[in-house]
Amino acid sequence: GSAHALDVMDGVRYYKNRVPKGYIPIAQAIGGNLILLGVETANRGKVLYWDHETSDVFAVADSFSEFLSQLTLTDEEDEDDED
């Protein structure tokens, strides 16, 4: 099976042996990739982007607050008009 897109605990269980130790999935990104949150002391609060095909990780933010401050809302209709 797969983790339900909106259930963090299902994501934790499903990806437990796939994502780096000390991180939990908190959101899905485009293409089945994940946004991870550090939960152990050394990495607590750090946010990573995890590529599900290569298992590569990329730093997104040093804290969850910083991650939230980077989020922006977009209007899908406006994006369609740019093409």
Side-chain angles (χ1 to χ4, degrees), residues 20-48:
K21 182 175 175 18
Y23 287 89
I24 61 169
I26 59 168
Q28 288 187 334
I30 293 175
N33 300 315
L34 299 173
I35 303 299
L36 306 177
L37 177 65
V39 294
E40 291 188 351
T41 303
N43 298 316
R44 186 174 307 274
K46 292 186 179 181
V47 180
L48 300 179

Side-chain angles (χ1 to χ4, degrees), residues 1 6 11 22 27 30 36-37 49 64 70 73-75 78 80-81:
L6 300 176
I30 293 175
L36 306 177
L37 177 65
Y49 176 89
F64 189 69
Q70 294 175 12
L73 293 176
T74 60
D75 185 345
D78 289 345
D80 291 340
D81 292 340

Side-chain angles (χ1 to χ4, degrees), residues 9-29:
M9 291 311 297
D10 278 351
V12 169
R13 284 188 290 271
Y14 184 76
Y15 291 104
K16 181 179 179 181
N17 295 317
R18 295 186 63 196
V19 300
K21 182 175 175 18
Y23 287 89
I24 61 169
I26 59 168
Q28 288 187 334

